Amino acid sequence: MLLDVQHLTTEFKTRHGPIQAVRDVSFCIEKGEILALVGESGSGKSVTSLSIMGLLSSNGRVSNGKIMFNGEDLLTKSDHALRKIRGNNISMIFQEPMTSLNPIFTVGDQILESIRLHTKLTKKEAQEKMLHLLDLVGIPNPAKRVKDYPHQLSGGMRQRIMIAIAMSCEPQLLIADEPTTALDVTIQAQILDLIYRMREQFNISVLLITHDLGVVAEAADRVAVMYCGRIVEEGTTRDILTRPCHPYTQGLLKSIPRLDDNSQRLYMIPGMVPPPEEVPDFCAFADRCERATEDCRKGLPPFVSLKDRRVRCVNVIAED
């Protein structure tokens, strides 16, 4: 087991008091596996990844749980120890490469900085590795492109640069936070294929954070669905996409436009996501669920274990 997140709870101080953004989240990732963390914006996906990386904002903290990486709890590590792990063992591709890359340095300088910071390579060796990485991620004419600034590159090229930086130290775990957001469909497919090839070539594990179920179908081995800071369903990609059990997962899949659907309107999950400060202590999806009963409001539903999956629902029905 490479990563084992156990009962993770992350909260933020606000003027209304502490608010939990991640609530008792548990999942694991095996070596060489791609796990997709799926959910709407605000469901806690990115906060989960930032908790793992130790990059929460000053008003955020992990209030409970363990983050076991290679058998060691990252939450017990000092800032100095975490800095050694970040980049070397765990790397992250952030959602928007234009804001993640420094606009006043060339992309070559930024890749070199990552390599020199985390390895003992000489400057010449680092430059050779940089050009090899750029070639690996599909950047044409790498020797010329290293002199470019971020604004001179397209969105897809900037995302490839971010992947090159993330892979510069050959990490064991790659966290990709919405890596295809704001890219056109063709470039999305290329970036997903690139991440998949990096997994195959370096045998790395990937935590893929996305709201796009098409991305999940393309790349992930397993899927964990989040709603209001909790995981509500987890299983193999095939099972989740073909036989979803939780009403929220079923609603997400029904909301995807289909070419063979002749209905006049797209399906929409009824109701609204409750604000973080108003998430109830029973099933947070109960007020939007068509199958909700009084039992759903008597307390937090426990996980129901099925073959190769778990579902947090008291009315589990697999949908064909």
Side-chain angles (χ1 to χ4, degrees):
M1 188 76 63
L2 181 67
L3 180 71
D4 186 11
V5 177
Q6 304 173 10
H7 307 290
L8 177 68
T9 298
T10 302
E11 62 181 34
F12 291 88
K13 292 181 181 178
T14 71
R15 59 183 180 180
H16 303 292
I19 291 178
Q20 293 183 345
V22 175
R23 303 162 185 267
D24 194 27
V25 164
S26 298
F27 62 87
C28 59
I29 304 178
E30 301 281 357
K31 290 184 178 179
E33 183 181 43
I34 299 179
L35 172 70
L37 205 54
V38 179
E40 296 171 273
S41 295
S43 61
K45 308 184 303 296
S46 293
V47 174
T48 299
S49 69
L50 293 173
S51 300
I52 295 170
M53 292 291 288
L55 294 175
L56 293 169
S57 58
S58 58
N59 67 327
R61 74 182 186 98
V62 174
S63 58
N64 189 46
K66 293 182 178 180
I67 301 173
M68 306 300 294
F69 181 74
N70 276 332
E72 297 183 355
D73 189 356
L74 297 182
L75 297 178
T76 65
K77 300 288 184 182
S78 65
D79 289 342
H80 177 71
L82 276 178
R83 281 195 293 270
K84 286 189 174 182
I85 292 172
R86 286 195 296 261
N88 277 330
N89 303 108
I90 306 176
S91 289
M92 188 165 180
I93 305 170
F94 292 93
Q95 188 171 141
E96 178 45 64
M98 195 59 194
T99 57
S100 301
L101 292 169
N102 194 319
I104 65 173
F105 291 104
T106 65
V107 294
D109 286 338
Q110 296 181 63
I111 298 172
L112 277 176
E113 180 186 27
S114 178
I115 296 173
R116 296 294 300 277
L117 186 64
H118 295 287
T119 69
K120 296 181 180 179
L121 297 180
T122 64
K123 186 176 181 180
K124 183 179 179 181
E125 290 171 335
Q127 288 175 333
E128 290 174 354
K129 182 168 186 176
M130 172 184 65
L131 294 176
H132 173 67
L133 281 168
L134 290 178
D135 183 59
L136 201 63
V137 300
I139 298 289
N141 197 358
K144 180 182 178 182
R145 286 298 186 181
V146 294
K147 300 174 184 177
D148 288 345
Y149 290 87
H151 73 273
Q152 295 175 286
L153 303 175
S154 67
M157 294 278 270
R158 288 194 294 266
Q159 197 60 286
R160 289 173 189 269
I161 295 295
M162 289 298 298
I163 294 173
I165 292 174
M167 295 303 301
S168 61
C169 299
E170 300 179 18
Q172 296 171 280
L173 174 65
L174 176 66
I175 299 176
D177 187 1
E178 301 278 8
T180 58
T181 296
L183 301 178
D184 65 55
V185 176
T186 304
I187 303 301
Q188 281 187 24
Q190 293 174 2
I191 295 300
L192 288 175
D193 180 64
L194 177 56
I195 291 174
Y196 195 83
R197 284 192 291 111
M198 292 294 104
R199 189 273 291 265
E200 295 296 306
Q201 183 163 346
F202 296 101
N203 194 34
I204 61 171
S205 302
V206 181
L207 176 58
L208 178 62
I209 296 170
T210 182
H211 63 269
D212 189 336
L213 291 171
V215 168
V216 171
E218 190 76 24
D221 299 311
R222 287 190 304 116
V223 181
V225 182
M226 288 191 75
Y227 182 76
C228 287
R230 296 187 187 276
I231 290 179
V232 295
E233 185 168 6
E234 181 184 356
T236 65
T237 301
R238 180 183 179 85
D239 283 345
I240 295 293
L241 296 185
T242 59
R243 289 177 58 82
C245 288
H246 196 281
Y248 177 62
T249 311
Q250 293 170 1
L252 286 179
L253 288 166
K254 286 180 183 177
S255 302
I256 300 174
R258 295 178 53 168
L259 292 176
D260 59 351
D261 186 356
N262 296 320
S263 60
Q264 295 297 312
R265 298 188 63 175
L266 292 174
Y267 176 82
M268 182 179 69
I269 300 174
M272 297 289 290
V273 178
E277 66 273 15
E278 295 179 14
V279 174
D281 55 4
F282 50 84
C283 177
F285 193 65
D287 291 338
R288 306 178 69 188
C289 181
E290 298 170 353
R291 297 207 305 262
T293 64
E294 286 304 312
D295 290 339
C296 300
R297 295 178 173 84
K298 289 181 179 178
L300 187 67
F303 274 112
V304 177
S305 294
L306 305 174
K307 184 180 178 181
D308 295 328
R309 85 165 81 187
R310 56 188 185 129
V311 187
R312 192 186 285 276
C313 182
V314 297
N315 301 309
V316 175
I317 301 175
E319 183 165 290
D320 295 322

